């Protein structure tokens, strides 16, 4: 029996569960855990698919799911990391900001490209040598919990600090940093009332050329901090791991 475990039944968790219900990911049971039990109950009630609610992380782990997807937050990763690693499951982490200071040597640790893409090209270029990589993220103030009426730069610095200052919004910066490390990723975050989409522009100068990558993502309707693409990238990775 193939089971999937899910930590966090918010925006990403719900899209992922629906993909399982619609057989985009083929498994027999979904085991869900959320600190807020009402979120887990709401998700279970909405699903026409076998869903079991775990009341604790330990209960989720004892279900021996093939894959566990974390879609809960950086603090959840910090708190659960060693227990998750002690399980036998393949692990997908969405809150990549929390991975920056952790040992990721275990091949069962995975993170999807999330709200961006092109990590294959970046990883390839980083082998030859990246000279400079810059991420400019432009979001509506609502998506950054800001209230500015004019365009405003709200952060300039490096990815590690961006992921700390914007733990919900700057996992993209962390994902880039994890992909090209030890190269430092420069980050600029712009709060712009004129935009509705979460836009990420990545400029790279490397040993043998340049790259420009641009993503303009619709925010998730239930959670403007999150782009729909992030959930779909988790679904794609889950599909691959569950089929193996
Ligand atoms: N990698 C990326 O590109 C990317 C993109 C978007 C979001 N994210 C990250 O993915 C995570 C999930 O995003 P979301 O939009 O679904 O968030 P969300 O706020 O909609 O949902 C999070 C859910 O997790 C639950 N939760 C919080 N702490 C928990 C804990 N310790 N244990 C169990 N459950 C807990 C909450 O009750 C909530 O239901 C966030 O950390 C977000 O920053 C990553």
């Amino acid at each position: 029996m193939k089971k999937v475990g899910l930590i966090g039944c918010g925006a990403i968790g719900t899209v992922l569960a629906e993909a399982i219900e619609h057989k985009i990911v083929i498994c027999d049971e979904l085991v869900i855990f959320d600190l807020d039990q009402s979120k887990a109950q709401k998700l279970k009630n909405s699903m026409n698919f076998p869903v079991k609610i775990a009341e604790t992380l330990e209960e989720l782990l004892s279900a021996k799911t093939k894959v566990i997807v974390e879609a809960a937050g950086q603090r959840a990763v910090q708190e659960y990391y060693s227990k998750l690693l002690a399980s036998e499951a393949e692990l997908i982490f969405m809150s990549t900001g929390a991975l920056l200071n952790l040992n990721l040597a275990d091949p069962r640790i995975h993170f999807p490209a999330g709200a961006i893409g092109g990590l294959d090209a970046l990883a390839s270029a980083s082998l030859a040598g990246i000279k400079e990589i810059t991420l400019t993220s432009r979001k509506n103030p609502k998506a950054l919990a800001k209230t500015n009426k004019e365009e405003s730069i709200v952060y300039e610095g490096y990815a590690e600090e961006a992921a700390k200052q914007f733990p919900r919004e700057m996992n993209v910066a962390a994902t880039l940093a994890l992909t090209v490390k030890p190269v430092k990723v420069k980050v600029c975050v712009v709060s712009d009332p004129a935009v509705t989409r979460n836009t990420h522009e990545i400029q790279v100068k490397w040993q043998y050329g340049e790259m420009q990558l641009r993503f303009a993502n619709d925010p998730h309707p239930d959670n403007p901090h999150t782009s729909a693409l992030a959930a779909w990238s988790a679904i794609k990775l889950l599909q691959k791991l569950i089929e193996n």
Side-chain angles (χ1 to χ4, degrees):
M1 181 160 167
K2 261 187 200 170
K3 297 189 211 174
V4 170
L6 172 65
I7 304 174
C9 303
I12 291 178
T14 300
V15 178
L16 190 124
E18 286 167 358
I20 289 175
E21 182 185 28
H22 296 133
K23 308 222 175 304
I24 295 169
V25 175
I26 307 291
C27 70
D28 303 301
E29 187 180 57
L30 176 64
V31 185
I32 61 177
F33 167 54
D34 196 303
L35 271 190
D36 181 345
Q37 285 279 313
S38 69
K39 291 272 188 72
Q41 196 60 54
K42 187 173 165 218
L43 181 57
K44 179 180 162 74
N45 293 347
S46 72
M47 295 266 294
N48 184 14
F49 186 83
V51 176
K52 188 180 159 209
I53 296 179
E55 289 187 5
T56 59
L57 178 72
E58 284 67 26
E59 203 181 319
L60 173 78
L61 295 173
S62 68
K64 302 227 175 293
T65 61
K66 184 172 161 78
V67 184
I68 297 175
V69 182
E70 173 280 321
Q74 290 194 26
R75 283 182 64 180
V77 179
Q78 285 148 5
E79 206 177 318
Y80 306 151
Y81 194 67
S82 53
K83 285 182 183 164
L84 288 170
L85 273 190
S87 78
E88 284 171 19
E90 298 287 334
L91 305 166
I92 297 179
F93 291 99
M94 292 310 297
S95 307
T96 48
L99 300 180
L100 286 165
N101 297 318
L102 295 173
N103 178 354
L104 306 180
D106 194 311
R108 292 176 301 124
I109 299 167
H110 310 270
F111 59 90
I116 52 168
L119 300 191
D120 52 346
L122 295 173
S124 306
S126 75
L127 293 178
I130 288 180
K131 294 175 183 161
E132 189 175 76
I133 171 164
T134 308
L135 165 71
T136 305
S137 295
R138 186 175 287 271
K139 297 192 178 194
N140 187 277
K142 262 192 261 168
L144 291 163
K146 301 279 179 197
T147 53
N148 55 294
K149 303 280 181 244
E150 304 287 328
E151 179 187 297
S152 161
I153 293 177
V154 293
Y155 178 80
E156 259 182 315
Y158 289 106
E160 289 75 7
E161 187 56 31
K164 270 192 207 142
Q165 284 195 26
F166 297 93
R168 286 187 298 180
E169 301 85 2
M170 277 293 110
N171 286 292
V172 164
T175 302
L176 286 175
L178 290 167
T179 304
V180 302
K181 73 180 175 193
V183 174
K184 300 289 271 178
V185 180
K186 287 187 196 159
V187 176
C188 176
V189 183
V190 184
S191 178
D192 183 353
V195 300
T196 50
R197 289 186 162 148
N198 298 331
T199 306
H200 302 289
E201 287 181 349
I202 303 154
Q203 310 270 353
V204 185
K205 289 186 182 143
W206 70 292
Q207 189 69 21
Y208 300 111
E210 293 184 0
M211 297 176 198
Q212 285 92 33
L213 302 163
R214 184 174 187 275
F215 302 87
N217 299 325
D218 284 343
H220 189 284
D222 296 340
N223 182 348
H225 304 281
T226 284
S227 301
L229 181 63
W232 286 99
S233 81
I235 292 164
K236 188 69 205 155
L237 179 55
L238 175 62
Q239 197 186 47
K240 188 177 122 195
L241 292 174
I242 207 83
E243 279 168 11
N244 271 348

